[in-house]
């Protein structure tokens, strides 16, 4: 299958870091370098590779990968998400005409698989309950009409043809009219191909486009042709405003890099992939699935996503619920200090709450101040009773705690007064947000 070698290489370099509890800047750069080479050697367009790595780096910085709970896995997830973005994370589905007949033109160079995909797509749409007509507008090759008829018989799809003596334009116009008059949902137009892009072909396609006003113009590109995909797609797109790509022969052992580049270079999304010669050998294109496959580690990626979601959510919920009820003990303060490295500062949790983002800065500063060993040591030296109610902390208790924590009575006083201040603020915040939860 396409991408096998890219997959192998990416998986190898990512597996090296996926299980690492710590990731140095150096490890990360090494991994990014390996990814760069793997992409370039798979024929991904140079500029696309540069942009891709820049985005990964930026995301890694933004998400503070090096300080994450599981830096290696987080980096894998970032790479995965960037591949999805590269492949197009917008809507790739067929744009059906809401007012009636949907007209789809299929165009492309000779032998790239137009006729075969027309039949495959017709078959897919029929399975969805649509009434589909295939229009044989390739009048250049006499055998083309016969080919479409055979495929039509195979799938029970009606084929419209005027033979080879009526030109492609008129066949298309009449075919679309026939579809409209006879209550078809979709008309798929199979057009002629040329070995190379030439003006005559483009003109013919432009004329058909002008006359039938298609809802979709799908361009077939052969995965095996490598880098050419990008320039061919670019040229067709310039002339015709192509709405989607069908990457055919995806079952072959293409390096696949051009498939990764084509969306970001031309802006045309991939809508289908052809994965064999048989009628059912077509897949609706989902960037996420291909990204999973390219990384060969969909399992790891979904695991990271799930673990992170659960972790963040559960802890954040517990914490915020306590805070929102105005309950805040020294134990909570200790807990928040211990968790802050994993969870991000308390402020980021507060920032998620409606109406609280304004207080983010204040809380952040205070938490940062307390995120010191002294604070932790002081609290840890207090009895559970004292932690619950520090007002019982008389001088003798303060001296004991200072001694036990290797700090001073001043330190203990500071911790207690910081706690009181913080508690007051949390109480006032909680009264402000009452009713929100
Ligand atoms: N392996 C593989 N072969 C395919 C795929 N799609 C099409 N083919 C084969 O590619 C060859 C050309 O397919 P056609 O559908 O005739 O291509 P075309 O673009 O209509 O060709 P022209 O009409 O001559 O321009 C045929 O032998 C198909 O069986 C695919 O996804 N995978
Ligand atoms: Mg054909």
């Amino acid at each position: 299958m396409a991408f096998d070698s890219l997959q192998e290489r990416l998986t190898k370099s990512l597996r090296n870091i996926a299980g690492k509890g710590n990731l140095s800047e150096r490890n990360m750069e090494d991994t990014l370098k390996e990814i760069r080479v793997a992409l370039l050697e798979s024929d991904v367009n140079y500029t696309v590779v540069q942009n891709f790595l820049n985005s990964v780096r930026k995301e890694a910085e933004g998400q503070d990968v090096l300080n994450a709970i599981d830096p290696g896995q987080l980096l894998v997830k970032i790479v995965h998400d960037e591949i999805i973005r590269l492949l197009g994370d917008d809507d790739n589905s067929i744009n059906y005409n809401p007012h009636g007949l949907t007209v789809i033109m299929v165009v492309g160079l000779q032998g790239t698989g137009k006729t075969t995909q027309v039949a495959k797509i017709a078959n897919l749409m029929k399975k969805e309950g649509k009434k589909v007509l295939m229009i044989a507008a390739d009048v250049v090759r006499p055998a083309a009409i016969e080919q479409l008829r055979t495929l039509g018989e195979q799938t029970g799809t009606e084929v419209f043809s005027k033979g080879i003596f009526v030109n492609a334009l008129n066949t298309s116009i009449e075919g679309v009219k026939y579809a409209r008059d006879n209550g078809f949902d979709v008309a798929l137009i199979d057009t002629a191909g040329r070995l190379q892009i030439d003006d005559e072909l483009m003109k013919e396609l432009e004329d058909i486009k002008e006359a039938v006003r298609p809802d979709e113009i799908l361009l077939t590109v052969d995965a095996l042709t490598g880098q050419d995909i990008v320039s061919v797609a670019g040229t067709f797109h310039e002339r015709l405003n192509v709405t989607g790509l069908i990457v055919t022969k995806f079952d072959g052992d293409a390096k696949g890099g051009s498939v990764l580049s084509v969306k970001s270079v031309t802006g045309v999304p991939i809508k289908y992939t052809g994965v064999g010669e048989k009628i059912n050998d077509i897949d609706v294109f989902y960037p996420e699935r291909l990204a999973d496959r390219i990384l060969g580690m969909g399992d790891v990626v979904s695991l990271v996503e799930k673990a992170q979601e659960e972790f963040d959510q559960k802890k954040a919920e517990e914490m915020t619920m306590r805070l929102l009820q105005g309950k805040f003990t020294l134990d909570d303060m200790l807990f928040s200090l211990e968790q802050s490295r994993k969870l991000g500062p308390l402020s980021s949790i507060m920032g998620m709450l409606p109406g609280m983002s304004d207080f983010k800065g204040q809380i952040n500063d205070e938490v940062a101040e307390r995120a010191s060993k002294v604070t932790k040591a002081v609290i840890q030296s207090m009895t559970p009773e004292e932690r619950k109610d520090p007002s019982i902390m008389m001088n003798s208790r303060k001296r004991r705690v200072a001694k036990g924590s290797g700090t001073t009575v001043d330190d203990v006083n500071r911790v207690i007064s910081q706690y009181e201040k913080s508690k007051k603020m949390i109480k006032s915040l909680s009264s402000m947000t009452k009713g929100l939860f």
Side-chain angles (χ1 to χ4, degrees), residues 172-185:
S172 301
I173 293 170
E174 287 187 37
V176 168
K177 183 174 184 307
Y178 176 85
R180 212 162 254 136
D181 291 347
N182 289 279
F184 282 86
D185 299 309

Side-chain angles (χ1 to χ4, degrees), residues 120-162:
K120 288 177 184 176
I121 293 171
N123 192 45
L124 271 187
M125 291 178 169
K126 275 188 64 183
K127 281 192 202 155
E128 289 171 6
K130 299 195 164 61
K131 193 177 169 194
V132 186
L133 180 72
M134 303 197 285
I135 300 172
D138 177 359
V139 294
V140 175
R141 217 163 43 88
I145 296 171
E146 226 17 73
Q147 185 189 359
L148 199 61
R149 280 207 188 287
T150 311
L151 289 165
E153 270 162 32
Q154 215 177 309
T155 57
T157 312
E158 190 173 338
V159 173
F160 181 92
S161 160
K162 298 293 279 180

